[in-house]
Amino acid sequence: MPEADGTRKSDGAGAPEVRVSTPPAITADPTEKRDINEVERTATLEDGYLDEKDKQPDYSRMDKEVGKYASDKRVEISEEKSNELRRLIDRRVLVVMVCTYFLQAIDKGTMSFASIMGIVDDTGLVGQQYSWLTSCIYIAILIVEYPQNYIISRVPIGKYLSFMIIGWGTVLACHAACKNFTGLVVVRTLLGIFESACQPAFLVLGAMWYRREEQASRVTYWYMMNGGQQIVGGLLAYCFTLIKTGPLKNWQWLFLTYGIISVFFGFFVLWWLPDSPMRAKCFTEEQKHLMVERVRDNQTGLQNKKWKKEHVVDAFKDPQTYGYAMIALCTTLPTSGLGAFANIIIKNFGFTTLQTQLLAMVLGVVIIIVLLSSVWMANKWNQNLIVMAAWVIPSYVGTILLMTLPDDTKAQSIGLLICYYMTLSFWSAATLNLTMISRNVGGQTKKGVVIAVHFVCWSAGNTIGPQVFLSNDGPRYFTAFATHIGCYTALVLTIGALRWYLASENKRRDAMAEAGVREARDEKMIHAFDDLTDRENPNFRYVF
């Protein structure tokens, strides 16, 4: 039995003395825990439905760094203190994610802006070659996504992300030196390899630093930079279009400038972003301890560098994996084509080059409104999948009108432009899908596999998307928009099936808890850091 001073004595078998987890005030240094492999795993029976083996975390499964800061049982943190910690995390982590994704989005968007600034003629692009300059990025991501996720789960994530940002900035600047299709394919492929780390790293960072209820808004904040880059990128592209003289063409200045900015930002990330709550030198020991504890009830784990074969098997047996992957495919196939051909489509409505660059800013505002309103609705009604399905309806309407309305007058051209803006409402599904992966998948190896499968399909959709915009099908691209309608239909069907599955799983686990199954009603969440998958942990409940 524990002594009055809060320590548990050795039983004489060589086990060291262990300090029992401290209360929320954190009067003891949490780093005083011994090596978790040596911890004596006896327990008192404080809960009627938990026996001895359930009263302590499974230290053999827990990451050693996490074990130094995680308490043996749940630590209650006040809402005021939790909000204070979240603000500290936002300043260190969210700022980096938002700025990084903005740079990545604007770096990818440069090709769309350059398409009407002369790059097609200057480099001699013909036929489908322009489309392949977008597809080759995602073919590269498709190939490297699995090893990329493997690396991300095993290296200091802050340092690795900074290295990849510096790499893609360097490659982006090299676009300015390209003279033909071959050179552009090389740099675009390298750009895809370096940028492939961004979104997977963000999902890992989100699950590591934020509570489940905070993750949806954080993903939306960085994902809506797709709209932000349209606003800022459209304005900057307008400015670069005004360059008519000098040693470089205006599109070359565009790539060179964005590339240099990205390189400098990469070095900033190296200095500013912590690798994990446990390694964050910018926070006190007490703050690090509480930052670990505040994500306990996520039950998706925090960090574990051990590769587990059983997690891989679990991932491929889980219907969730294929649901999230299908949603990724059905959203990115339309997105990539609409993104690559946005300015070409808008210009074909009868607008000038400068007008088109400025109208891209309106497109960005539309994207931000869609993403913010959808996450607000999902949080307000706690209905992620229903909100995703509802936001597909405007995409249906806008796409059908684009295919059927004539384009004979200025008023009709403006109407078609509005219809084009409407087609992008399905982007809310892409954002909420990412938040569900980070909140619903437990176990670090399994999470890495699910993220890899998701981004393989994400890459496949982005690869195919520009190819359905056939050069001989312009300017209305009926084949492409008909394909998009098929994607919307498949998306709605997938959302319905996924919602049924997750709801059924929650009902089954609730029934287990009501029947007295102790593992399904552990309010103290003792095994939250044991690196269990969501299917191994009956106490886990899904968000849908």
Side-chain angles (χ1 to χ4, degrees), residues 137-433:
I137 288 180
Y138 299 103
I139 291 174
I141 295 175
L142 185 70
I143 294 171
V144 304
E145 194 58 53
Y146 182 78
Q148 189 71 271
N149 277 274
Y150 183 87
I151 294 170
I152 287 171
S153 64
R154 277 153 187 76
V155 299
I157 194 168
K159 297 179 180 64
Y160 186 68
L161 182 61
S162 67
F163 168 76
M164 301 304 279
I165 296 171
I166 294 168
W168 91 51
T170 303
V171 170
L172 189 70
C174 291
H175 281 56
C178 295
K179 304 296 183 183
N180 53 41
F181 174 68
T182 303
L184 285 171
V185 166
V186 171
V187 293
R188 299 296 282 176
T189 302
L190 290 173
L191 186 66
I193 293 173
F194 283 110
E195 290 190 344
S196 65
C198 184
Q199 293 190 56
F202 287 179
L203 292 184
V204 173
L205 284 170
M208 179 185 293
W209 290 93
Y210 290 103
R211 297 169 62 91
R212 292 176 92 186
E213 61 269 23
E214 298 166 349
Q215 291 176 29
S217 58
R218 267 64 195 170
V219 170
T220 301
Y221 292 152
W222 57 259
Y223 201 79
M224 73 181 186
M225 290 301 102
N226 285 299
Q229 75 88 10
Q230 287 289 146
I231 299 172
V232 178
L235 181 60
L236 293 177
Y238 175 86
C239 296
F240 279 104
T241 302
L242 299 177
I243 299 176
K244 303 295 183 182
T245 60
L248 299 176
K249 301 291 182 66
N250 49 19
W251 61 267
Q252 291 176 310
W253 282 116
L254 189 70
F255 283 111
L256 187 61
T257 302
Y258 290 172
I260 292 173
I261 292 173
S262 296
V263 169
F264 278 105
F265 181 74
F267 283 106
F268 168 78
V269 172
L270 179 64
W271 168 67
W272 186 255
L273 180 65
D275 293 313
S276 70
M278 296 77 70
R279 293 189 176 191
K281 297 180 180 178
C282 53
F283 301 131
T284 66
E285 290 298 308
E286 178 179 340
Q287 287 170 338
K288 288 190 284 187
H289 178 91
L290 293 175
M291 284 175 182
V292 169
E293 282 300 320
R294 75 188 292 272
V295 299
R296 176 185 288 272
D297 56 4
N298 290 355
Q299 297 194 84
T300 55
L302 193 153
Q303 172 182 287
N304 198 295
K305 298 179 181 179
K306 182 180 179 182
W307 184 255
K308 298 178 179 178
K309 181 180 178 181
E310 62 272 20
H311 282 204
V312 178
V313 174
D314 192 320
F316 284 108
K317 286 184 176 181
D318 191 348
Q320 277 193 105
T321 303
Y322 306 102
Y324 299 139
M326 189 65 182
I327 292 173
L329 178 65
C330 293
T331 53
T332 54
L333 196 154
T335 300
S336 61
L338 292 172
F341 284 81
N343 289 337
I344 293 175
I345 293 171
I346 293 174
K347 189 175 181 180
N348 285 335
F349 291 150
F351 299 100
T352 67
T353 298
L354 291 178
Q355 288 173 336
T356 301
Q357 303 284 31
L358 293 176
L359 285 172
M361 299 171 64
V362 180
L363 181 62
V365 174
V366 171
I367 292 171
I368 291 175
I369 291 173
V370 167
L371 298 184
L372 285 178
S373 57
S374 62
V375 76
W376 178 83
M377 293 168 64
N379 288 336
K380 179 176 177 60
W381 293 302
N382 196 29
Q383 293 290 344
N384 295 268
L385 290 169
I386 289 178
V387 170
M388 289 164 65
W391 277 101
V392 179
I393 296 174
S395 296
Y396 266 118
V397 175
T399 302
I400 292 171
L401 292 177
L402 278 174
M403 298 176 66
T404 56
L405 290 179
D407 185 18
D408 300 325
T409 66
K410 191 67 175 178
Q412 290 173 335
S413 296
I414 294 174
L416 288 171
L417 176 64
I418 294 172
C419 291
Y420 179 76
Y421 291 153
M422 290 173 60
T423 63
L424 295 170
S425 68
F426 70 90
W427 271 28
S428 64
T431 308
L432 293 173
N433 190 46

